[in-house]
Amino acid sequence: MHSQKLLLAALLASGLAARTNAQNITQQQQPFTGTVGKTLAESKEVWTNPVKAPAGAPNVVWVLLDDVGFGATSTFGGVIRTPTFDSLANNGLRYTNFHTAAICAPTRAALLTGRNQHSVHEGGFSHTWSSFGFPGWDGRIPSDKGTIAEILREAGYNTFAVGKYGLTPDQDASDAGPFDRWPSGKGFDHFFGFLGSQTDQYKPDLVEDNAHVTPDGRHLNDQITDKAISFIDRQKKAAPDKPFFLYYAPGATHAPHQVAREWSDQYKGQFDGGWDEFREKVFAQQKKQGIIPANVILPERNPNIRAWASLSADEKKLYARFMEVYAGYLTYTDHEVGRIVNHLKKINQLDNTLILVVIGDNGASKEGALGGVITRSSAAAIAAPLSEAEQVKNNLAQIELIGTPEGTNANYPLGWAQAANTPFKYWKQDAHSEGGTRNPLIAFYPKGITDKGSIRTQYGHVIDLLPTTLEIAGIKAPEVIRGIKQDTIQGTSLAYSLHDARAASRHKTQYYYIFGSRSIYHDGWKAAFAYKPTSAATGNLVSAISVANPDNNDWQLYNLNEDFNERIDLAKKNPKKLEELKALFEEQAKKYNIYPYITWDDVLKRRLPQPTQQQQPAAGK
């Protein structure tokens, strides 16, 4: 009798477990279609069918780097070695006409949702100092703008994210939550990384899933790569045939530039020739590789960037060391991505994995200012910035800290940022310039790409990668996620270009706007306006030196079909086309929630009220 009771208990336990699993196997429970009678005999059971990804659906890996620059990597003509990216591109495709939003959070929000930055409320950041209580600006992605992770999880994938997230409102970022705008609330089964825009690579503000955790002292790149591999292995052990989505977004190469000397010393002395020589070398190599057209001309140095030959010996010594560290940091990051790729090959998953690598979430960073920075500035120093000469003197005294854990805000000078952006003008934040918005894209998919090593020139934007991924995976964008009707995806799939290098671009129109700087692209033409801050509070803002003519700042017009890197302003020659594009920008502004036009002046002078925890989110949430 005792054994029968044990058997009955075991059967009941296993049955309950099986039924519990069955009931929770999908995020969206289907309406019950059976019959409920007074007794089981009078009733008819119906179970929700398990959600499975389409047969043969690939694993998906998105890699998003930070603050790199178009001309930095060897993959796109640069002199900084990136063998992993070289290999992926040589066995996949290089896209040379791909774009980001010009700064990190807007790019990441647009990428993850397949929708324009202001449409998903990320016109600026999710930080209190740079978000505003309007639908395009509050920094809170609405639930009707589902992410790629939410879509793929509903379609039978496991979903993981490691590294930088950057989209959680500051007010929500404590261990008390709420967690609906943490990665776990936006579709990721597991997350390991940091929620903000910047973190120390050795002492990161580290989060795992829904709680802060203590870092182990190793470089963050090493930690996130180990964690990504563990997520994949754990999933494949439990469900070998189930595909996964991995969003790998290291903090590199955003400040602080921190990396072990074994990496930075590989470049010892290699930048002693300076940024002018660097630009010439990269420019020539880009032509040789076919990255840029043969008729492109290298622009003059950006305003306020001095010729390398005019620098003092101390300046050259200091600035060269900044670039050695940056280069080592980038090569090390490439190595860590290589660990993921090699592991997928080892476990026989690489051939059925789609890898999309966006080399930078914007152009190379202007935040190092003219003389570079090493440690974080005090409030007094921010209020009264040092002159370039004073900056150099201070930095020389701390030159050994560059790249170390003590270099808590290390970032190279502006001259190197322009060099990393070769062949373009200007920098990160500059939504009016290709130097702010154009980033390399690599597409790797052994099962789906036959034209290996080729170049694609079709116009693309980060909002295009979500529909591209869904098309390749054979997944339809859902109309509803967890009971919430979904807004239209705004990106255009690039899948059409995988097999046709000559296919016409399908993404015809795209706006850009970052705190006053703006542009509009339409079918090869581009109108651009460089914002010039006006208030005393922004007198030292580096945005000011992204204006070609500060005394007469106005809209510019470029024909990118003939003028690859925006050298020839056609505004006076073709005013009709300029007015057409300006009108189109206004249409886009109304359609996608860009209004009001919030600028750097507004951010720094706080003309608009800051949100508080008590304030309600903007309409449309």
Side-chain angles (χ1 to χ4, degrees):
M1 177 65 98
H2 180 66
S3 61
Q4 289 178 329
K5 288 182 178 179
L6 288 176
L7 178 61
L8 178 61
L11 288 170
L12 286 170
S14 63
L16 285 172
R19 293 183 183 185
T20 299
N21 289 340
Q23 288 286 68
N24 291 298
I25 204 154
T26 177
Q27 295 294 337
Q28 300 190 56
Q29 189 71 26
Q30 300 300 314
F32 179 69
T33 57
T35 302
V36 177
K38 288 185 177 181
T39 66
L40 181 59
E42 298 171 331
S43 305
K44 179 183 177 183
E45 294 181 272
V46 173
W47 295 103
T48 300
N49 292 325
V51 173
K52 292 185 178 180
N59 305 309
V60 178
V61 177
W62 282 7
V63 178
L64 177 64
L65 300 193
D66 202 331
D67 288 7
V68 178
F70 187 89
T73 66
S74 55
T75 315
F76 285 79
V79 299
I80 300 172
R81 295 183 295 277
T82 49
T84 299
F85 299 149
D86 293 351
S87 177
L88 291 173
N90 291 340
N91 291 282
L93 299 171
R94 289 171 172 85
Y95 283 79
T96 60
N97 198 8
F98 187 77
H99 298 77
T100 59
I103 206 164
C104 56
T107 290
R108 291 161 197 271
L111 171 68
L112 289 173
T113 63
R115 300 168 177 95
N116 286 306
Q117 66 203 62
H118 293 83
S119 287
V120 296
H121 297 215
E122 202 74 34
F125 295 86
S126 294
H127 302 307
T128 54
W129 61 268
S130 54
S131 55
F132 300 87
F134 304 101
W137 292 93
D138 63 19
R140 290 155 169 78
I141 298 175
S143 298
D144 67 341
K145 314 288 193 300
T147 69
I148 181 69
E150 290 177 287
I151 293 171
L152 291 181
R153 187 169 67 179
E154 298 295 334
Y157 277 67
N158 282 121
T159 55
F160 315 124
V162 297
K164 176 174 173 176
Y165 187 62
L167 300 173
T168 301
D170 288 346
Q171 299 94 326
D172 298 353
S174 77
D175 283 352
F179 301 106
D180 53 326
R181 291 188 175 89
W182 286 45
S184 60
K186 289 298 178 183
F188 289 102
D189 295 330
H190 292 290
F191 172 73
F192 183 82
F194 60 102
L195 300 177
S197 296
Q198 174 176 330
T199 198
D200 190 296
Q201 294 298 298
Y202 290 101
K203 298 178 181 178
D205 185 19
L206 193 59
V207 164
E208 182 162 11
D209 294 334
N210 283 0
H212 285 79
V213 295
T214 302
D216 63 15
R218 294 180 298 146
H219 197 286
L220 183 58
N221 277 3
D222 199 8
Q223 295 182 62
I224 66 170
T225 304
D226 282 354
K227 189 63 70 170
I229 290 171
S230 75
F231 289 157
I232 293 168
D233 284 352
R234 186 166 61 189
Q235 186 247 27
K236 289 302 177 186
K237 182 179 179 181
D241 297 326
K242 188 175 183 179
F244 67 84
F245 169 62
L246 170 64
Y247 176 48
Y248 184 95
T253 53
H254 194 290
H257 296 171
Q258 295 170 312
V259 69
R261 292 194 75 107
E262 66 180 282
W263 295 99
S264 59
D265 284 356
Q266 293 180 20
Y267 290 94
K268 202 75 175 172
Q270 293 191 26
F271 303 111
D272 290 353
W275 46 61
D276 294 324
E277 179 181 287
F278 181 104
R279 292 180 74 214
E280 294 287 351
K281 283 183 179 179
V282 171
F283 188 69
Q285 185 61 29
Q286 286 174 332
K287 286 191 174 184
K288 183 178 179 181
Q289 288 183 222
I291 302 297
I292 63 177
N295 64 347
V296 174
I297 296 172
L298 187 65
E300 296 296 319
R301 285 184 301 275
N302 290 338
N304 292 9
I305 303 302
R306 291 185 289 158
W308 184 264
S310 71
L311 302 180
S312 69
D314 280 346
E315 287 172 319
K316 290 178 180 178
K317 173 186 174 182
L318 174 65
Y319 295 168
R321 182 57 186 161
F322 271 113
M323 192 57 175
E324 291 166 4
V325 168
Y326 168 80
Y329 192 17
L330 181 53
T331 296
Y332 165 55
T333 302
D334 175 89
H335 165 78
E336 291 297 318
V337 176
R339 288 179 57 206
I340 299 288
V341 175
N342 291 336
H343 187 73
L344 292 175
K345 185 176 182 180
K346 178 182 176 182
I347 63 173
N348 298 316
Q349 293 292 324
L350 187 61
D351 284 348
N352 192 33
T353 299
L354 168 67
I355 302 178
L356 298 174
V357 182
V358 184
I359 302 181
D361 53 356
N362 39 245
S365 171
K366 65 167 67 175
E367 288 134 14
L370 291 169
V373 293
I374 299 177
T375 57
R376 287 191 173 276
S377 300
S378 65
I382 293 172
L386 298 175
S387 67
E388 185 177 1
E390 292 170 324
Q391 202 173 20
V392 169
K393 181 180 178 181
N394 280 9
N395 286 345
L396 273 170
Q398 303 179 81
I399 191 170
E400 293 302 318
L401 299 184
I402 302 173
T404 70
E406 291 73 31
T408 54
N409 200 31
N411 203 348
Y412 54 18
L414 275 167
W416 284 121
Q418 178 176 13
N421 269 345
T422 303
F424 300 112
K425 299 182 291 185
Y426 306 126
W427 301 281
K428 170 184 177 179
Q429 302 181 18
D430 296 331
H432 65 285
S433 171
E434 296 292 292
T437 63
R438 193 178 300 210
N439 288 86
L441 169 69
I442 301 167
F444 172 89
Y445 184 36
K447 285 181 61 176
I449 294 175
T450 56
D451 192 15
K452 296 180 179 180
S454 295
I455 290 173
R456 294 293 184 267
T457 59
Q458 286 86 358
Y459 189 91
H461 187 271
V462 285
I463 62 175
D464 298 336
L465 295 192
L466 185 150
T468 301
T469 298
L470 296 186
E471 183 173 349
I472 291 172
I475 295 169
K476 183 181 178 182
E479 295 181 4
V480 174
I481 294 178
R482 294 189 179 186
I484 298 174
K485 182 175 173 54
Q486 294 296 293
D487 194 8
T488 304
I489 290 173
Q490 294 159 4
T492 302
S493 172
L494 286 166
Y496 71 92
S497 66
L498 296 183
H499 305 291
D500 190 352
R502 297 184 179 182
S505 296
R506 295 183 182 178
H507 190 138
K508 298 292 187 181
T509 304
Q510 183 60 50
Y511 83 84
Y512 300 87
Y513 186 94
I514 298 294
F515 293 123
S517 173
R518 70 201 74 172
S519 63
I520 182 74
Y521 167 90
H522 181 69
D523 207 14
W525 285 88
K526 179 179 175 181
F529 180 80
Y531 182 72
K532 178 186 175 184
T534 58
S535 71
T538 60
N540 290 289
L541 191 69
V542 289
S543 302
I545 57 176
S546 297
V547 178
N549 185 358
D551 295 327
N552 187 27
N553 188 34
D554 205 350
W555 282 85
Q556 297 174 319
L557 177 68
Y558 300 102
N559 181 355
L560 297 182
N561 293 321
E562 300 174 359
D563 182 14
F564 184 84
N565 53 354
E566 303 172 304
R567 290 183 59 254
I568 304 168
D569 180 10
L570 301 174
K572 292 182 179 179
K573 278 191 174 182
N574 198 339
K576 182 179 179 182
K577 173 62 73 173
L578 177 60
E579 292 304 315
E580 288 175 3
L581 291 175
K582 287 168 64 177
L584 179 58
F585 185 88
E586 293 300 318
E587 291 176 14
Q588 298 279 295
K590 295 174 184 176
K591 182 177 181 179
Y592 294 119
N593 293 335
I594 305 179
Y595 292 154
Y597 287 151
I598 295 172
T599 69
W600 280 119
D601 285 314
D602 297 316
V603 172
L604 297 183
K605 292 173 66 177
R606 296 310 306 176
R607 292 177 179 167
L608 299 171
Q610 296 187 45
T612 66
Q613 287 181 309
Q614 286 72 38
Q615 288 177 331
Q616 295 297 313
K621 302 300 283 274

